Amino acid sequence: MRKVIFLLMFLFVFSVNQPFFAGSHESKLQIRGIYVQAANTQGQKFNQLLHLVKQSDLNAMVIDIKNDHGTLTFQPDKSSPYYRISRPYIKNPTKLIETLNQHNIYPIARVVVFKDNVLAKSHPEWSFKTANGTIWRNGRGDAFTNPFVKQVWDYNIGIAKEAAKIGFKEIQFDYVRFPEKFETFEASLTYSRQSKDQSRVSAVSKFVKTAHEKLKPYGVKMSVDVFGNATVIPEAPGIGQNFSQIAQHVDVISAMIYPSHWGSIFGMKKPDLEPYRLVSEYAKVEKARLTKLADPPISRPWLQDFTATWLGKGNYKVYGKNEIEEQIRALHSQGIHEFLLWNAKNNYTPNVQYVK
């Protein structure tokens, strides 16, 4: 009898200490998350972010694992092919995951794919070159690797696998595209193309499909960030994004729909001033496209938690509690209950009501 009682007590204690996203319940969880730089996964800043999530209806963190520069943000074993590109911004990844699990915070690994200064430098033949043979860079000094090259696919999928082994529950691929306005300067570049008949859209879509298939054995979900503009037009051939094709091969699709990042659209000359209307109108278009798919992914858009002062006086508004809640309310009006908040410096607005 004592053994039975002891076993029951053990099972009870074990069950209540499990993360609430574990097992089958994970699929029912509505994710509401924030972006977190790898360097902010420790110290006072991390404690602030942890407190924000714990004291609100937020429940997820999107953490850089391969950052915008192309650096792996934790140090793997020396035997890893990624050891030389790593910097230990995340001092102890195992402990980080344990902390997130302890506080029931869903861990998402952000992997920046084709924007990659590190890989372009070490393998310039996998990048784009200018007429004088140097690596092409955009106006911000960023290099891109070539989405037509399968070795680039394998390289990034391998990093995603490293993140899955650590314990991340989801891999989020960002910059799954060619450089912006690529079609306007493509003719001036030299780069390898494994098939002359393959389009930019085909290259990007096939990478997404391949990554999804290769990550299945690791038991993680996969999401992809896309430009919001790629949803409201049939496709964006310049950068290689077709919303519907990408959405067919992901568990979650995250369109970046920051009001500040749109031109005149939906009858709005200054979208940043109308966060509710912009997000609502976007969500209607996305909903129509996703309903046409046999097995649509979860929609989890990126929302704006920053002020776009660069738009100039009269073209922007200060984004605070009301503006964030308006974006969330707009998503809810179209049946979307998951979202992610972006602030590059991780300075998030306090006291927001994240659940309506």
Side-chain angles (χ1 to χ4, degrees):
M1 185 63 179
R2 287 181 179 178
K3 290 183 179 180
V4 174
I5 294 173
F6 176 80
L7 179 60
L8 290 173
M9 289 177 64
F10 172 80
L11 290 173
F12 173 77
V13 171
F14 178 80
S15 64
V16 298
N17 280 284
Q18 294 310 296
F20 70 109
F21 49 77
S24 61
H25 187 61
E26 180 181 326
S27 61
K28 300 175 184 178
L29 180 65
Q30 292 180 342
I31 297 301
R32 298 175 294 274
I34 57 173
Y35 162 65
V36 178
Q37 292 183 32
N40 289 336
T41 57
Q42 58 192 336
Q44 183 179 355
K45 186 65 175 183
F46 184 63
N47 290 335
Q48 292 173 353
L49 295 172
L50 198 60
H51 179 77
L52 171 69
V53 174
K54 287 168 58 181
Q55 299 302 315
S56 70
D57 288 307
L58 295 172
N59 56 21
M61 288 185 178
V62 181
I63 300 172
D64 282 331
I65 288 300
K66 180 183 173 221
N67 63 21
D68 290 61
H69 184 64
T71 303
L72 189 70
T73 62
F74 70 95
Q75 204 159 63
D77 294 335
K78 289 186 177 181
S79 60
S80 169
Y82 306 104
Y83 181 79
R84 290 187 177 182
I85 68 158
S86 67
R87 290 189 63 181
Y89 295 108
I90 301 174
K91 300 297 183 184
N92 189 332
T94 302
K95 184 178 179 181
L96 173 63
I97 294 297
E98 288 176 352
T99 299
L100 298 179
N101 287 346
Q102 179 185 352
H103 295 290
N104 296 327
I105 298 174
Y106 183 72
I108 303 173
R110 177 176 179 254
V111 176
V112 175
V113 183
F114 296 117
K115 185 174 82 167
D116 193 330
N117 294 323
V118 173
L119 186 60
K121 183 178 180 180
S122 62
H123 284 278
E125 73 277 13
W126 295 349
S127 184
F128 303 105
K129 294 182 181 180
T130 63
N132 62 11
T134 60
I135 296 172
W136 174 87
R137 296 181 185 275
N138 64 16
R140 293 180 292 274
D142 297 316
F144 275 67
T145 50
N146 183 355
F148 286 114
V149 175
K150 297 293 178 60
Q151 290 95 327
V152 176
W153 296 12
D154 294 339
Y155 176 88
N156 285 282
I157 293 170
I159 289 177
K161 291 177 180 178
E162 294 270 5
K165 292 174 184 176
I166 293 172
F168 281 92
K169 299 294 182 182
E170 182 173 318
I171 308 300
Q172 180 191 91
F173 289 116
D174 197 3
Y175 283 86
V176 186
R177 60 176 178 82
F178 286 76
E180 292 176 70
K181 300 181 180 180
F182 186 76
E183 70 280 13
T184 65
F185 54 83
E186 177 186 17
S188 67
L189 304 176
T190 57
Y191 61 94
S192 63
R193 195 162 178 159
Q194 293 174 341
S195 172
K196 292 183 178 180
D197 297 328
Q198 190 179 29
S199 69
R200 292 188 290 273
V201 166
S202 176
V204 169
S205 298
K206 286 182 179 178
F207 163 75
V208 173
K209 181 180 180 182
T210 300
H212 197 223
E213 290 172 349
K214 291 194 174 184
L215 288 175
K216 280 181 180 178
Y218 292 82
V220 291
K221 290 186 177 181
M222 191 185 103
S223 55
V224 167
D225 295 338
V226 295
F227 275 173
N229 183 58
T231 310
V232 300
I233 57 177
E235 68 179 17
I239 61 171
Q241 286 188 347
N242 180 304
F243 177 87
S244 298
Q245 288 184 22
I246 291 173
Q248 290 180 55
H249 303 293
V250 295
D251 302 296
V252 178
I253 193 148
S254 293
M256 297 172 284
I257 58 174
Y258 319 122
S260 61
H261 281 45
W262 297 84
S264 298
I265 192 169
F266 304 128
M268 288 174 278
K269 292 184 178 180
K270 300 178 180 181
D272 194 63
L273 302 182
E274 302 184 66
Y276 178 88
R277 186 179 169 200
L278 182 282
V279 172
S280 176
E281 292 300 319
Y282 167 85
K284 291 175 185 177
V285 176
E286 184 189 85
K287 185 177 180 179
R289 292 194 72 168
L290 289 178
T291 53
K292 294 179 181 179
L293 300 180
D295 187 20
I298 293 169
S299 171
R300 189 192 300 151
W302 279 101
L303 302 181
Q304 178 172 330
D305 191 351
F306 57 86
T307 298
T309 54
W310 62 85
L311 294 176
K313 187 176 180 180
N315 298 311
Y316 76 92
K317 65 191 303 186
V318 175
Y319 270 56
K321 181 177 187 296
N322 182 63
E323 289 70 26
I324 296 164
E325 290 180 354
E326 283 189 347
Q327 293 175 83
I328 296 169
R329 187 163 55 87
L331 289 181
H332 287 186
S333 74
Q334 300 304 315
I336 300 173
H337 299 283
E338 299 198 15
F339 59 85
L340 301 168
L341 297 174
W342 180 269
N343 183 290
K345 295 182 179 179
N346 304 163
N347 296 325
Y348 295 99
T349 302
N351 304 316
V352 173
Q353 187 177 345
Y354 296 112
V355 175
K356 295 293 183 180

